Amino acid sequence: MIIALDGPAASGKGTLARKIAARYDLPHLDTGLLYRATARALIDAGERLDNEARAIAAARGLGLTDFDEASLRGREMGEAASVVAAHPGVRAALLDLQRAFAARPGGAVLDGRDIGTVICPDADVKIFVTASAETRANRRALELKGRGEKVDYAEVLDDIRKRDARDAGRSSAPLVKADDAVLLDTTNLDIDGAFDAAMAIAEKKAARG
Ligand code: CDP
């Protein structure tokens, strides 16, 4: 069974994807880490984020084990990731790796921005996870604080709005709900509530076959 979760920054899709993967005992790929690691590699090499040729080379050089999450999860790297993710060549360079992950025997859970639309258009279950920008900014501020970053709520909200606009406005694989994805708004749900709602969606789809 392939389960695709898409949605904007800090919507809760990553947490949901991890929990759903654990429940079904499936491997999970957080595809945002691929774009974050690509941005990290460019920055470490002293290259500009708008250098598409270098960004493509960095993306091609990634392996699935290259993820030092601590250095990738910060606020700055989320911003940088959304810049490199807008290069069509970078997205193309990361396509096969994501599809190969999804094709593992037994299936997989993937979360990102274009899983249900581009990477796995035939996924068995597609959920588009969203929440209000203010709720997402609150969650992200708490998460960053927990990582020891100094955070200002207004700045985090501004980041979220900018990232929403960049991700939804790009021409290559923009953030958009797939026609056949089920919308899950987590604005008024805690983690357990969102998980129960997502499992109900998955079970219903799974039962239909
Ligand atoms: O955790 P958060 O939602 O803030 O970020 P993420 O999922 O790690 O993604 C970081 C950035 O990578 C996003 O803002 C997107 O621009 C990009 N991304 C993408 O374009 N396609 C994906 N499948 C995953 C992430």
Side-chain angles (χ1 to χ4, degrees):
M1 176 162 66
I2 297 177
I3 302 179
L5 290 112
D6 290 301
S11 53
K13 61 190 184 306
T15 305
L16 279 178
R18 266 192 305 280
K19 287 176 75 79
I20 293 171
R23 173 63 63 91
Y24 286 122
D25 200 15
L26 288 172
H28 165 225
L29 180 62
D30 171 349
T31 63
L33 284 178
L34 301 172
Y35 296 92
R36 287 171 181 259
T38 301
R40 171 96 262 165
L42 274 182
I43 291 169
D44 287 350
E47 303 287 356
R48 289 169 52 109
L49 297 172
D50 60 6
N51 185 332
E52 181 165 7
R54 296 282 179 182
I56 292 170
R60 286 204 183 118
L62 290 183
L64 278 180
T65 51
D66 283 351
F67 308 133
D68 168 23
E69 290 209 23
S71 78
L72 298 177
R73 291 276 181 210
R75 186 179 148 216
E76 192 199 338
M77 217 44 66
E79 268 298 297
S82 83
V83 176
V84 300
H87 298 309
V90 168
R91 308 200 71 84
L94 295 172
L95 192 73
D96 288 349
L97 185 153
Q98 295 175 81
R99 287 205 174 137
F101 191 94
R104 289 179 177 201
V109 180
L110 288 86
D111 76 275
R113 299 290 189 289
D114 62 343
I115 309 304
T117 49
V118 175
I119 307 294
C120 304
D122 297 327
D124 304 284
V125 179
K126 296 184 187 179
I127 305 178
F128 192 85
V129 189
T130 188
S132 72
E134 291 76 12
T135 299
R136 291 185 286 125
N138 263 325
R139 290 179 188 158
R140 183 50 45 93
L142 276 176
E143 179 197 330
L144 293 173
K145 247 185 225 159
R147 290 182 190 281
E149 273 196 50
K150 249 186 102 187
V151 286
D152 176 74
Y153 171 79
E155 275 176 22
V156 175
L157 179 59
D158 191 50
D159 274 3
I160 294 251
R161 290 206 167 114
K162 270 199 216 128
R163 207 122 73 77
D164 284 357
R166 195 182 289 135
D167 289 349
R170 69 184 175 217
S171 54
S172 178
L175 171 67
V176 62
K177 178 185 161 303
D179 287 341
D180 53 350
V182 178
L183 183 71
L184 175 56
D185 186 334
T186 68
T187 304
N188 296 309
L189 296 174
D190 61 10
I191 292 177
D192 288 341
F195 178 58
D196 290 347
M199 284 303 297
I201 294 167
E203 291 289 303
K204 201 167 152 191
K205 285 274 180 184
R208 264 194 233 144

